């Protein structure tokens, strides 16, 4: 099993930066691909970014491409989401999730989820 705990959310001004972290428990963390998703009030949970188990490949939604970067440190069982050039439309609860081996942009394919961290971008 994998337990996930997000941190680093908060209030940021438009154009600013924020770094989210997701700490994972479990010795098999390095076998899991990791993803970040977000959910704004009244909207569905959307894919943000994903990274392979090795960290060699990353994927990002078009809406955040060039602004957000996903990375991971398997030695520390942690995955990160660096958010730059934040926009008001980035306001949402951000969730990290774990999926066995391969990445996916589909939330239903992820097996483990964190509790989420709120990100609010003020314009």
């Amino acid at each position: 099993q994998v337990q996930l705990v997000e941190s680093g959310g908060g209030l940021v001004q438009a154009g600013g930066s924020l770094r989210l972290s997701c700490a994972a428990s479990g010795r098999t963390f390095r076998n899991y691909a990791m993803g970040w998703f977000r959910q704004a009030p009244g909207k569905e949970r959307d894919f943000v970014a994903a990274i392979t188990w090795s960290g060699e490949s990353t994927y990002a939604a078009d809406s955040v491409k060039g602004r957000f970067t996903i990375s991971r440190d398997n030695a520390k069982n942690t995955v990160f989401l660096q958010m730059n050039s934040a926009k008001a439309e980035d306001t949402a609860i951000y969730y990290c999730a774990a999926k066995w081996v391969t990445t996916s942009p589909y939330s239903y394919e992820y097996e483990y989820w964190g509790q989420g961290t709120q990100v609010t971008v003020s314009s």
Side-chain angles (χ1 to χ4, degrees):
Q1 262 204 340
V2 178
Q3 292 184 326
L4 304 173
V5 179
E6 301 96 336
S7 61
L11 178 66
V12 61
Q13 288 188 336
S17 297
L18 207 59
R19 190 192 198 200
L20 306 183
S21 298
C22 174
S25 65
R27 293 176 294 177
T28 59
F29 172 74
R30 61 175 60 250
N31 292 330
Y32 284 84
M34 299 297 295
W36 285 97
F37 292 79
R38 66 186 181 185
Q39 188 166 19
K43 295 188 176 181
E44 294 184 350
R45 190 169 296 189
D46 291 332
F47 170 74
V48 175
I51 187 167
T52 55
W53 68 270
S54 65
E56 289 185 359
S57 297
T58 61
Y59 308 89
D62 288 343
S63 58
V64 305
K65 203 167 291 183
R67 300 189 297 120
F68 292 10
T69 303
I70 188 171
S71 61
R72 68 189 295 164
D73 184 340
N74 284 345
K76 296 183 178 179
N77 282 11
T78 305
V79 63
F80 305 97
L81 184 69
Q82 179 66 45
M83 304 170 58
N84 297 330
S85 302
K87 301 178 180 180
E89 51 262 44
D90 295 325
T91 295
I93 299 174
Y94 283 71
Y95 299 89
C96 71
K99 180 183 180 296
W100 183 252
V101 181
T102 58
T103 60
S104 170
Y106 304 110
S107 60
Y108 62 84
E109 293 189 350
Y110 285 76
E111 297 139 45
Y112 301 104
W113 291 84
Q115 82 290 347
T117 186
Q118 176 71 48
V119 172
T120 302
V121 182
S122 62
S123 55

